[in-house]
Amino acid sequence: PDTVPFAIRAYLDSRSYEETVRRAISLGGDVDSMAAMAGAIAAVTWGVPEEIVERVVPLLDSELVEVIVRFDGRFSSGG
């Protein structure tokens, strides 16, 4: 029940994408949901750091990477 307010608080108390996600995880409880929500909000504000993208994308299935590429092409501010 506290997942959404905690995710928002993690975002509001942070100054970067990584700090937001780490803060959400540190709160305990439903950390995967809180980190996902807080990270989504933070990504709009600060973007996802390139070093995180470079480490994560190679771990993803090629079909998921294609979904991400199509999504970014359609909804990113540059697309």
Side-chain angles (χ1 to χ4, degrees):
D2 294 326
T3 303
V4 174
F6 283 179
I8 294 169
R9 184 84 258 162
Y11 165 74
L12 292 173
D13 289 345
S14 300
R15 294 173 303 205
S16 71
Y17 175 86
E18 186 172 355
E19 182 181 354
T20 300
V21 173
R22 287 179 181 271
R23 189 177 299 277
I25 291 168
S26 74
L27 295 173
D30 188 10
V31 298
D32 56 332
S33 296
M34 284 191 297
M37 287 185 275
I41 299 167
V44 173
T45 303
W46 298 294
V48 179
E50 193 59 34
E51 58 270 14
I52 293 175
V53 173
E54 289 172 359
R55 290 185 69 184
V56 171
V57 169
L59 303 173
L60 301 176
D61 178 87
S62 61
E63 291 179 19
L64 183 53
V65 172
E66 178 57 31
V67 169
I68 294 168
V69 168
R70 288 194 333 256
F71 182 90
D72 281 348
R74 183 167 183 185
F75 295 107
S76 71
S77 59

